[in-house]
Each structure stands twice: as structure tokens, then as C-alpha cells.
Amino acid sequence: GKHAEIDHEPPIGRGFDRNHIDNRRFRFFPLCHNHHMLRHAKGIKWFMDFYHIKPVKLDDDMIISLKLNSRKQLDDFDEKGE
């Protein structure tokens, strides 16, 4: 099988430094590359409605496991109150 790509809901958008985003604030869903590109082309609302996608919140351990944030980043966000 192919590797899944993880998408955010709501979308983060281009131009953001993903190293400074606390991913605990987002919901996620896995997509193959083709569907990820389709989601970007059609927009998040259309994609969610058409495919009946229900993004999920991830706990800290899963966020770290998927390398969306490191433990240090999460601790830093907590310390700064972000």
C-alpha cells in the first residue's frame, strides 16, 4: 500500500511555519496523495460533504508518533500558554 498523507481541518494554508503550530488545536484525516490533491482542488467543504469525512482529534502521543509535533514543541506551547 501507499503511505497516507495527513490533512488538517480546518486547513492551515500555505505560508505558515508548521513548526510553530500546536496541532492539538486541529482535527485530522488521512488521505492518499490523489485524494489529498483533490481536496485542495475542490476545497475542504465540498470534499467533506461529498465523501462524508469526519476528521478526528489526535491525542498527544499520536501527534508525536505522526511527527506532527515533538514532545518539546507541545511542552513549549503549554509553557507559553498557546
Side-chain angles (χ1 to χ4, degrees):
K2 297 178 182 178
H3 290 280
E5 298 177 5
I6 306 297
D7 204 356
H8 291 88
E9 202 287 313
I12 291 175
R14 293 183 182 189
F16 286 91
D17 184 347
R18 293 173 189 265
N19 291 322
H20 293 99
I21 293 175
D22 184 348
N23 283 290
R24 295 174 293 190
R25 299 183 331 198
F26 295 91
R27 294 175 296 163
F28 297 88
F29 52 103
L31 298 171
C32 71
H33 180 73
N34 290 340
H35 280 96
H36 196 172
M37 294 300 102
L38 179 64
R39 203 284 295 155
H40 283 280
K42 293 285 194 176
I44 189 101
K45 179 163 178 17
W46 179 91
F47 192 86
M48 297 290 203
D49 291 346
F50 187 82
Y51 287 106
H52 307 284
I53 302 288
K54 302 282 187 222
V56 297
K57 283 279 197 182
L58 302 178
D59 64 18
D60 289 5
D61 291 335
M62 186 58 70
I63 288 171
I64 293 165
S65 171
L66 292 170
K67 298 182 174 146
L68 299 170
N69 286 118
S70 68
R71 171 62 62 199
K72 180 177 180 341
Q73 285 174 314
L74 296 180
D75 290 345
D76 287 348
F77 292 135
D78 290 342
E79 187 177 299
K80 292 176 186 174
E82 294 183 6

